[in-house]
Amino acid sequence: MIETTLWHPVALSHAVEQAPLAVQLLQHALVLWRDGEGRVQAFTDRCPHRGARLSLGRVHGGRIECPYHGWQFEPGGRCVHVPALPQFTPPATHCATRHGVVEAYGLVWVQIDAGNAALPAFEAEGDERLRKVHCGPYDVATSAPRIIENFLDMAHFGFVHDGWLGTRAATAIDDYRVEPTPTGLRATGCKAWQPQSNLHSTAPAQVEYTYEVTGPYTAVLTKVPEAGTTALAGWRESIALFVCPVTPESSRVWFRLAVADFESPDEKLQAFQHTIFTQDQPVLESQVPRRLPLDLRAELHTAADKASSAYRRFLRTGGITFGVC
Ligand code: FES
Ligand code: CO
């Protein structure tokens, strides 16, 4: 499965502290922990001795210790201490299974099987004029691709987000452009009439979006400032959607907001995003099947859905099998 060689978000960086943290990714049980140097480690959450969960153990002296017989494992995965045989030097084959792990965008990313995939891009992260704030995690009872597709969909704004990102009084979708990219797709010129497009909106405005799919389960939207609006001059916002494919039909979701607003408290920015996503969540969880159908004949499509049709095409040609049907 190609998905296991890609990087996936599994936890907020600051959620990995002193105690080992159990997470699930692509149906694999993993344990995250911090070694003596403060680096995050990701192991399979199963002790190679008798199969106990390492996440029930503790981190001590830069090693993770199994809760059952106290075997201790180094950052590289190697067992270096067997308390029942204190003089015994375990051979190199006494090893926990270790996975690739990096921290980026405030999250811990794991690659289950080694490969040369790049981390999904999020350009706004490096822009110092933008402040970064997290929202989530949200545990959502649907596949990761259904969640990404919802993020690319503007035709639901007037219904699901009536009075916020859209209005029943203006539901038409103007034509927009979609082009494939090496990591997914880019949709530009996506316009929406929004009563309350962000925390600071005081009047409805026409907002133009760019959507980018940056990996099978990651996407970024950028709101392009309107030309000639002095009130909003220089105002821009980029929102990344990072989805962890937990099982084929359940996911964990984070948003990374990159905003020019350095004044509002985190909670206020998070509350706006929270309102929007909790409007989406019940509808997302109602969709059947939960796995995204890649056969274009399985559901109906219109020109307004061309970003989602392109996304399905990208998943199909990319050989993605997890979370789709
Ligand atoms: Fe882990 Fe025995 S099961 S030390
Ligand atoms: Co929505």
Side-chain angles (χ1 to χ4, degrees):
M1 184 167 65
I2 170 189
E3 293 87 333
T4 60
T5 64
L6 304 177
W7 292 98
H8 301 281
V10 291
L12 285 174
S13 264
H14 66 69
V16 189
E17 297 174 323
Q18 247 330 90
L21 180 72
V23 296
Q24 214 191 343
L25 167 63
L26 297 168
Q27 287 176 305
H28 292 255
L30 306 173
V31 56
L32 305 179
W33 60 285
R34 282 200 191 271
D35 65 23
E37 256 102 75
R39 290 173 310 207
V40 178
Q41 301 290 328
F43 288 2
T44 293
D45 194 8
R46 182 181 179 279
C47 178
H49 178 219
R50 288 293 179 266
R53 290 187 78 125
L54 293 171
S55 58
L56 298 177
R58 61 171 188 160
V59 176
H60 187 67
R63 301 167 179 174
I64 186 165
E65 182 189 83
C66 179
Y68 199 1
H69 310 98
W71 286 25
Q72 292 177 4
F73 300 89
E74 280 187 337
R78 186 157 174 190
C79 174
V80 287
H81 185 56
V82 175
L85 295 170
Q87 305 311 326
F88 173 63
T89 303
T93 50
H94 282 41
C95 231
T97 305
R98 186 173 179 269
H99 305 283
V101 60
V102 292
E103 292 184 79
Y105 319 136
L107 291 161
V108 176
W109 296 73
V110 170
Q111 180 190 49
I112 289 179
D113 295 321
N116 54 9
L119 206 64
F122 182 40
E123 262 175 45
E125 186 71 27
D127 188 337
E128 283 169 13
R129 294 163 303 175
L130 297 173
R131 164 187 176 196
K132 320 306 177 313
V133 180
H134 264 104
C135 196
Y138 295 96
D139 287 315
V140 186
T142 195
S143 64
R146 283 281 193 198
I147 299 167
I148 296 294
E149 195 177 89
N150 170 65
F151 191 71
L152 306 176
D153 180 300
M154 288 186 300
H156 77 283
F157 286 177
F159 302 93
V160 177
H161 308 296
D162 187 16
W164 294 78
L165 301 186
T167 164
R168 280 176 179 268
T171 53
I173 300 293
D174 288 349
D175 195 24
Y176 56 95
R177 290 173 303 281
V178 182
E179 52 181 339
T181 66
T183 64
L185 63 93
R186 185 181 299 111
T188 49
C190 310
K191 295 186 208 75
W193 179 252
Q194 302 195 326
Q196 174 83 40
S197 66
N198 68 74
L199 197 56
H200 305 289
S201 307
T202 49
Q206 172 92 346
V207 179
E208 190 176 325
Y209 284 19
T210 294
Y211 289 107
E212 230 170 316
V213 170
T214 53
Y217 312 121
T218 56
V220 175
L221 88 71
T222 305
K223 289 183 186 178
V224 182
E226 294 154 283
T229 41
T230 45
L232 291 175
W235 196 93
R236 66 220 151 99
E237 181 171 57
S238 199
I239 302 177
L241 167 65
F242 297 131
V243 186
C244 174
V246 176
T247 74
E249 299 190 357
S250 68
S251 309
R252 183 164 281 191
V253 171
W254 296 267
F255 294 95
R256 179 83 158 163
L257 314 180
V259 295
D261 174 0
F262 282 82
E263 321 270 272
S264 306
D266 285 4
E267 297 71 35
K268 235 175 142 187
L269 293 165
Q270 288 160 334
F272 182 84
Q273 192 63 27
H274 180 81
T275 300
I276 301 298
F277 190 65
T278 49
Q279 290 168 344
D280 284 312
Q281 190 165 357
V283 179
L284 269 172
E285 293 184 338
S286 79
Q287 286 177 282
V288 285
R290 284 181 171 168
R291 299 176 199 219
L292 189 76
L294 294 194
D295 181 344
L296 290 180
R297 291 164 304 183
E299 293 183 338
L300 303 176
H301 315 276
T302 71
D305 305 314
K306 66 184 181 188
S308 83
S309 300
Y311 175 58
R312 291 180 187 206
R313 216 171 297 125
F314 159 68
L315 294 179
R316 199 173 54 245
T317 54
I320 296 299
T321 58
F322 197 87
V324 300
C325 63

